[in-house]
């Protein structure tokens, strides 16, 4: 029977859930506190420059193709995208530079030439990465975390192959030997905001996604992903309510009855899917309900500081994705996770979408999205950290690129953990919900349904299966399956 479904939040997961509920024939109402859809996957303009505000790396487009195929459509018609080659330009402070080729064999051959690591070692590492994906996708990514004892037994026999007992760094060090390649593979931990020196080797699943499945660029920029799902949802009849903050999930006898918005309106609904961070869903929208504190209090993943810089020059040596590594990676993560601060020598990421989408910057200029990771917001003095980090970042980029970057800045804005938290209601401004530093993190994310309130479901980066665009999109699929299996 068709139901009235409310979605709280229009992040990429909320939009995907809205599409799925509409395809099932339900009447769907999506409520968004902001004036625009997308949450973290949004855009900003600074002077004459356009920037994707948050995510810049697009992987696993097939999950979005699956979403559009539900109504016989192609995601690539709504949001055309290209496979990247090369993927990223890497710079070390001693002048070493390499680009990661999309073709794994060419990549491995280049690494052998540059760092003397045998081609087979790299290809074998990537193959092991694929095996972890094949072993874990069904158990951890594509399905709810409702493991039977048979599932647990099956997983138990695979813990070795999943490399759960080593840290990512230990495994990379054992296999790679060359410190620069260890650092290269360790960096994939940051793709879900984790620490390679603590997270299990299982996270070595991530290079498979980039090196085998590929990295992509939506021709209209990352925000065109949001625009495509939003348009598709509208075509399917989803009712969007922007500038509408939900303040309460209304329940009666442990059953969802509706939602209350900040203007006092009461929306009667049969089911609710919350795309709001799960911590705040409990603490702000249903404070009288008992909350699963063990799960909610798992340590949060890294946050970020982004300097959006309009630059009055074109840098031919840079590509769409660029990394400038720090000299002491271990120290960088110790400062994030132990001192809860930001080291002076940092790994810097620059995304320049105007390399592919020329109208993102005026002629002869580039839009630099300069990002460094930070700890989640636990009350640090961000004003001090922003001004110190900006100085360190500009100095380092000027040194490595041999240009006075400060004098090239034409327009500027900044994003930091407090602003991420305020704009998207993400607890502590974390980019990816809880971190994967714990061996058992995959089992310690909140499930996609409520065990106590009938008709309440959860999607998005703060719940199972985790953060990032692909997993957030998958969380909506799991919600759909949970609802329609019942
Ligand atoms: C700087 C940065 C860089 C990133 N880089 C990448 C990357 O390169 N690749 C990648 O895959 N991922 C990246 N991520 C992570 C990725 O953006 C997120 O994991 C993903 O977008 C999370 O989507 P979500 O559906 O959980 O919702 P969110 O984007 O968190 O959105 C939640 C929405 O819910 C709304 N909302 C919350 N509470 C309420 C309420 N009470 N009432 C109404 N509306 C409400 C918010 O306003 C928001 O619009 C990055 C994130 C950031 C910030």
């Amino acid at each position: 029977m068709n139901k009235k479904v409310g979605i709280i939040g229009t992040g990429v997961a909320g939009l995907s859930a809205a599409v799925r509920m509409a395809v099932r024939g339900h009447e769907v109402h999506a409520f968004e506190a902001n004036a625009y859809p997308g949450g973290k996957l949004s855009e900003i303009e600074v002077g004459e420059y356009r920037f994707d505000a948050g995510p810049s790396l697009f992987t696993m487009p097939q999950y979005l193709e699956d979403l559009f195929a539900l109504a016989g459509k192609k995601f690539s018609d709504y949001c055309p995208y290209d496979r990247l080659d090369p993927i990223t330009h890497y710079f070390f402070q001693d002048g070493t530079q390499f680009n990661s080729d999309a073709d794994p064999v060419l990549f491995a051959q280049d690494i052998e030439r540059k760092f003397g690591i045998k081609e087979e070692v790299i290809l074998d590492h990537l193959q092991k990465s694929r095996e972890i994906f094949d072993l874990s996708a069904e158990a951890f990514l594509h399905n709810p975390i409702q493991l039977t004892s048979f599932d647990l037994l099956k997983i138990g026999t695979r813990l070795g192959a999943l490399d759960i007992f080593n840290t990512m760094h230990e495994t990379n060090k054992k296999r790679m030997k060359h410190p620069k390649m260890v650092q290269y593979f360790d960096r994939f931990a940051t793709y879900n905001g984790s620490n390679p020196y603590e997270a299990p080797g299982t996270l070595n699943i991530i290079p498979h996604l980039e090196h085998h499945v590929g990295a992509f660029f939506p021709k209209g920029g990352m925000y065109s992903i949001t625009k495509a799902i939003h348009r598709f949802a509208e075509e399917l009849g989803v009712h969007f309510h922007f500038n509408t903050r939900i303040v309460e999930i209304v329940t009666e006898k442990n059953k969802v009855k509706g939602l209350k918005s900040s203007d006092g309106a009461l929306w009667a609904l049969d089911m609710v899917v919350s795309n709001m961070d799960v911590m705040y869903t409990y603490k702000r929208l249903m404070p009288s309900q008992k909350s699963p504190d063990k799960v909610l209090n798992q340590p949060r993943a890294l946050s970020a500081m982004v300097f959006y810089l309009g630059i009055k020059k074109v840098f031919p040596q840079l590509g769409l994705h660029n990394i400038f590594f720090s000299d002491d990676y271990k120290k960088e993560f110790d400062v994030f996770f132990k001192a809860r601060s930001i080291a002076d020598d940092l790994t810097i990421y620059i995304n320049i979408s105007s390399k592919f989408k020329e109208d993102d910057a005026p002629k002869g200029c580039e839009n630099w999205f300069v990002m460094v990771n930070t700890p989640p917001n636990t009350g640090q003095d961000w004003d001090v950290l922003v001004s110190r980090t900006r100085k360190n970042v500009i100095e380092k980029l000027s040194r490595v690129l041999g240009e006075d970057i400060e004098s090239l800045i034409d327009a500027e804005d900044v994003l930091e953990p407090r602003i991420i938290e305020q704009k998207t209601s993400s607890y502590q401004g974390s980019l990816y919900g809880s971190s994967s530093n714990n061996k058992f993190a995959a089992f310690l994310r909140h499930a996609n349904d409520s065990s106590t309130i009938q008709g309440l479901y959860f999607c998005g980066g703060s719940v199972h299966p985790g953060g990032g665009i692909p997993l957030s999109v998958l969380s909506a699929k799991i919600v759909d399956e949970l609802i329609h299996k019942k």
Side-chain angles (χ1 to χ4, degrees):
M1 202 180 68
N2 293 346
K3 302 258 170 76
K4 231 172 146 176
V5 185
I7 314 274
I8 308 170
T10 61
V12 69
L15 288 171
S16 304
V19 163
R20 285 180 173 272
M21 294 301 116
V23 168
R24 295 279 187 180
H26 299 304
E27 180 183 327
V28 185
H29 292 265
F31 302 93
E32 170 55 58
N34 292 325
Y36 53 86
K40 299 186 184 83
L41 188 50
S42 60
E43 67 178 357
I44 64 159
E45 279 183 19
V46 187
E48 293 178 83
Y49 300 79
R50 188 203 73 90
F51 296 87
D52 287 309
S56 53
L57 179 68
F58 183 32
T59 54
M60 306 299 270
Q62 62 267 43
Y63 293 146
L64 284 162
E65 293 292 0
D66 291 347
L67 181 72
F68 280 65
L70 293 172
K73 304 282 184 184
K74 282 171 77 175
F75 171 65
S76 58
D77 287 340
Y78 285 71
C79 177
Y81 53 92
D82 292 320
R83 187 165 178 181
L84 291 175
D85 189 11
I87 302 170
T88 302
H89 297 236
Y90 289 89
F91 298 82
F92 293 85
Q93 305 205 64
D94 64 5
T96 310
Q97 204 262 312
F98 74 94
N99 299 339
S100 54
D101 280 290
D103 180 320
V105 175
L106 293 181
F107 171 69
Q109 288 171 347
D110 188 43
I111 295 306
E112 178 166 345
R113 272 192 304 273
K114 293 217 162 73
F115 301 109
I117 302 168
K118 288 264 172 263
E119 179 187 339
E120 303 77 63
V121 173
I122 300 285
L123 292 176
D124 182 58
H125 186 62
L126 294 178
Q127 179 54 26
K128 291 207 167 77
S129 173
R130 185 199 300 276
E131 283 162 19
I132 297 176
F133 181 82
D134 292 343
L135 278 173
S136 58
E138 285 312 302
F140 300 118
L141 303 183
H142 295 169
N143 287 302
I145 25 172
Q146 290 172 336
L147 299 174
T148 61
S149 39
F150 178 66
D151 292 329
L152 286 172
L153 192 70
K154 238 173 27 185
I155 292 167
T157 60
R158 295 170 177 178
L159 291 179
L162 289 171
D163 201 11
I164 196 165
F165 299 112
N166 296 306
T167 66
M168 234 183 142
H169 175 74
E170 282 163 355
T171 295
N172 292 336
K173 197 170 164 202
K174 203 160 49 195
R175 294 194 188 143
M176 290 304 135
K177 312 277 193 293
H178 196 295
K180 288 194 168 63
M181 270 298 107
V182 177
Q183 194 168 8
Y184 172 79
F185 281 108
D186 279 357
R187 180 183 161 257
F188 286 99
T190 63
Y191 281 33
N192 75 358
S194 300
N195 179 353
Y197 301 92
E198 284 182 8
T202 319
L203 275 208
N204 279 319
I205 190 175
I206 301 171
H208 161 66
L209 308 182
E210 185 162 306
H211 280 281
H212 292 144
V213 188
F216 300 83
F217 181 72
K219 286 182 198 287
M222 292 297 284
Y223 190 54
S224 63
I225 299 173
T226 292
K227 287 199 274 197
I229 320 176
H230 175 232
R231 191 183 123 205
F232 183 43
E234 277 191 323
E235 286 169 7
L236 291 167
V238 173
H239 305 271
F240 282 92
H241 308 271
F242 291 106
N243 297 308
T244 307
R245 181 176 294 282
I246 297 302
V247 291
E248 187 183 337
I249 297 174
V250 183
T251 58
E252 199 183 288
K253 294 193 182 129
N254 291 332
K255 196 171 176 326
V256 162
K257 284 286 153 195
L259 293 172
K260 200 184 270 180
S261 48
S262 57
D263 55 2
L266 188 63
W267 307 81
L269 299 157
D270 303 306
M271 285 188 293
V272 162
V273 183
S274 179
N275 179 211
M276 185 185 194
D277 188 300
V278 66
M279 173 68 103
Y280 286 141
T281 302
Y282 277 95
K283 301 292 175 201
R284 293 181 181 169
L285 306 191
M286 39 185 198
S288 57
Q289 294 288 338
K290 188 171 164 13
S291 54
D293 290 332
K294 177 156 192 259
V295 168
L296 296 185
N297 290 328
Q298 287 304 306
R300 289 282 154 155
L302 290 170
S303 186
M305 207 176 268
V306 181
F307 301 99
Y308 306 100
L309 304 181
I311 295 286
K312 290 182 289 187
K313 188 175 157 91
V314 170
F315 284 73
Q317 68 273 48
L318 300 182
L320 175 70
H321 300 293
N322 310 275
I323 288 288
F324 296 79
F325 272 122
S326 63
D327 280 341
D328 190 344
Y329 215 35
K330 172 84 170 62
K331 178 169 174 203
E332 196 179 334
F333 284 89
D334 280 348
V335 177
F336 288 147
F337 286 99
K338 294 192 178 131
R340 304 247 135 217
S341 188
I342 305 175
D344 284 336
D345 178 24
L346 275 171
T347 298
I348 304 170
Y349 165 73
I350 309 186
N351 174 254
I352 311 174
S353 64
S354 62
K355 293 278 182 197
F356 283 75
K357 190 174 169 302
E358 285 178 10
D359 60 356
D360 279 354
K363 208 168 163 23
C365 304
E366 293 183 332
N367 64 338
W368 285 17
F369 166 107
V370 181
M371 180 177 129
V372 296
N373 276 121
T374 70
N377 175 24
T378 49
Q380 296 88 334
D381 187 338
W382 290 106
D383 294 333
V384 169
L385 287 175
V386 166
S387 81
R388 202 179 78 202
T389 304
R390 184 189 181 284
K391 180 173 160 286
N392 290 332
V393 163
I394 301 290
E395 271 177 19
K396 173 164 169 168
L397 293 178
S398 301
R399 195 169 60 246
V400 179
L401 291 169
E403 289 274 355
D404 175 19
I405 300 299
E406 186 72 56
S407 66
L408 297 174
I409 299 174
D410 185 27
E412 179 168 0
D413 204 346
V414 68
L415 179 77
E416 38 92 344
R418 285 177 307 191
I419 308 177
I420 297 173
E421 182 157 9
Q422 174 223 320
K423 273 174 125 177
T424 63
S425 299
S426 302
Y427 180 57
Q428 296 183 347
S430 157
L431 308 188
Y432 304 95
S434 52
S435 84
S436 295
N437 293 342
N438 181 317
K439 282 185 185 46
F440 302 104
F443 303 99
L444 291 170
R445 290 205 171 83
H446 197 287
N448 303 95
D449 57 353
S450 163
S451 57
T452 50
I453 299 168
Q454 205 187 325
L456 177 60
Y457 297 85
F458 305 90
C459 67
S462 68
V463 296
H464 178 73
I469 298 169
L471 298 192
S472 299
V473 170
L474 275 181
S475 71
K477 175 171 178 275
I478 297 172
V479 165
D480 182 14
E481 285 166 5
L482 283 169
I483 291 175
H484 295 99
K485 206 171 64 186
K486 274 183 182 166

